[in-house]
Every structure is written in C-alpha cells, then in structure tokens.
Amino acid sequence: VAWQSYLGRGVLITIEFENAGGITPKDTTIRFHDIVIGTVEEVSFTSDMAKVIVSARIDKTVAATLNPETLFWVVRPEVSARGVSGLSTVLSGVYVDSAWVPIENSEARAFVGAAQTPLIQPGLEGTRISIRTKDGSSLTAGAPVFFRGIEVGQLDTPVLSDTGDSTTVEAFINAPYDKFLTTDSRFWNMSGFSVSLGPSGLSLNVASLGALLTGGVAFDNVVSGGEPVTDFTVFSLFESETTARESVFTQ
C-alpha cells in the first residue's frame, strides 16, 4: 500500500511567484479548466528572499504534457475595470490556476508564475496584434475590442515606448472573428461616447456598457480587397471612427 501510494503521489514542480498571499501547503490546489490536478506541498523563499517558491505535486499524466511556457497564477477575489472576479474563493480559499498548450513527454518542472490573471491565455484560437497610439490614457487592460458592434476580443496591458512618445497595446481577436482582420482594417478609440455637430445637427454616439465603463477599441474594413494579417501586425489607433475611415484618403 505504501509503495502504491508512493508511485501515485505525482510529480513535483516548482512555481516562482512575487508573493504567495493566501496559498497554504496541503490545502491550496492547482487547477486546469476547473479540474484539480495537484496540491501545494511547500512554500519557501528564493535564496535572495525576493520571491516565493511554491512546490506542488501534479498528476503524472498531466505533468508529462506541461509546456515550458505554462502559465500559473493565483486566483483570489479581484476587482478590475471589467468587474469582480474570483468570488468563489471567498468560501473555498485561493487556488492556483493554469493554462498551457499540451506537448508530449515534457520534462519541464520549474515555472514562473504570473502576477495576475493573464488576459490572453495559451490555447485560445485567434490572432494577436499590436495597436499603437500617441495617447494611451483611454486604454485599459481587459477592455473590449469590437467589430461592427460585436465584442470580438480584448486588450492586454498598455506599454509605454522606450522613448515615451507612444503607447503600444497588444490585442487578441478571437477566432473566427479574426478572419475579418485585413491590411485595410482601421482601429479607432471608443471611450464610451462621443458628441459631434454636423449638417444634421447634434449627434451622440454611445458605445456598449462595457465600453462605457472601460473604454475599448473598434475596427472595421474601410475598403475591400485587403490581405489577411499575421500575428503581431501593427495597426495605428485613430481618435474616432470618422478619422479612421477618412484615413484611407490621407494615407
């Protein structure tokens, strides 16, 4: 019985986190797609005491598929621009969630945990692009990306350029909507609502509730015949839909 217990106890892995708030040895579980795949055995510090090392036992079958780029993150109650998440942990306690693209005969055993829930997780089908703008004040991590009024993706965390004169944010467009992305696509800012005065009078354009609260961007193909794009294609962000559509005549 002892030998069988030893054989079935799983594979030991380590995950390095910035902090281990809420993680308890023997109680905190490791999950994948909401299924428990392991349990935390020990929590310790790195040699310089700057970070925390979480040691966990993972099911052998699962461990054999772990990608070296597997993402681990601690799920705890979280309030963000898009709402409240992780409320179930109030009763059950925090747990470590994970995401990866499975491979065969993996020997990866040491991983670096994410500081927060990743917005774009491995295994999702779609296209990852970059959007560049001079003013990133209206861009929020997790904000939606719209195509003709339908939410088709989301923004990652905006990053300031090395020179400080522009901001770049990666966006993930979910499949099958990414098929609408072409070289003729134009992106524009949706900061909730806009007001314009034209020949027909005052026009008020109100975006969806999600865009009203968190901002976001939208895109459309201003002309037909564009070529499909690949991952990390860079697009410019325009101030409004009008300027985005007019850009086809000015660029």
Side-chain angles (χ1 to χ4, degrees):
V1 172
W3 177 248
Q4 290 297 327
S5 177
Y6 175 80
L7 291 178
R9 66 177 182 161
V11 175
L12 184 66
I13 67 169
T14 59
I15 312 169
E16 181 182 287
F17 286 108
E18 294 290 337
N19 68 77
I23 296 179
T24 305
K26 308 302 181 182
D27 290 332
T28 302
T29 58
I30 312 293
R31 302 186 187 183
F32 178 64
H33 289 180
D34 289 330
I35 302 298
V36 175
I37 60 172
T39 305
V40 173
E41 283 200 348
E42 183 182 2
V43 178
S44 58
F45 289 101
T46 55
S47 58
D48 59 0
M49 305 291 287
K51 296 183 179 180
V52 176
I53 300 295
V54 173
S55 301
R57 289 281 175 185
I58 302 294
D59 179 88
K60 287 184 176 181
T61 304
V62 174
T65 70
L66 289 176
N67 192 309
E69 298 181 357
T70 297
L71 293 179
F72 291 93
W73 66 94
V74 180
V75 178
R76 52 173 67 94
E78 225 175 70
V79 179
S80 66
R82 300 217 65 180
V84 181
S85 61
L87 287 179
S88 62
T89 60
V90 174
L91 298 178
S92 63
V94 305
Y95 62 89
V96 178
D97 208 347
S98 59
W100 72 91
V101 177
I103 60 176
E104 294 183 359
N105 303 319
S106 171
E107 296 183 357
R109 297 295 179 261
F111 307 91
V112 177
Q116 57 189 4
T117 303
L119 295 173
I120 304 172
Q121 299 178 15
L124 293 178
E125 294 185 1
T127 301
R128 190 166 188 145
I129 62 171
S130 295
I131 302 173
R132 184 176 297 148
T133 178
K134 291 184 178 180
D135 182 8
S137 60
S138 61
L139 299 178
T140 305
V145 178
F146 295 95
F147 176 74
R148 298 181 182 176
I150 304 297
E151 185 174 340
V152 298
Q154 61 182 346
L155 301 180
D156 208 332
T157 303
V159 178
L160 193 66
S161 67
D162 293 336
T163 57
D165 60 352
S166 65
T167 299
T168 300
V169 60
E170 291 187 356
F172 188 79
I173 311 301
N174 300 307
Y177 304 109
D178 59 337
K179 67 183 179 183
F180 299 116
L181 277 173
T182 73
T183 52
D184 288 326
S185 295
R186 296 292 188 274
F187 285 78
W188 62 87
N189 186 19
M190 294 184 67
S191 58
F193 65 90
S194 61
V195 179
S196 60
L197 182 62
S200 59
L202 189 66
S203 175
L204 175 64
N205 180 27
V206 181
S208 71
L209 179 60
L212 187 63
L213 296 176
T214 68
V217 301
F219 76 94
D220 202 351
N221 300 319
V222 293
V223 293
S224 60
E227 298 294 326
V229 302
T230 57
D231 282 339
F232 299 108
T233 298
V234 179
F235 291 92
S236 296
L237 182 67
F238 295 90
E239 294 181 359
S240 65
E241 181 177 359
T242 301
T243 55
R245 295 189 180 280
E246 290 176 349
S247 68
V248 70
F249 304 107
T250 59
Q251 292 185 353

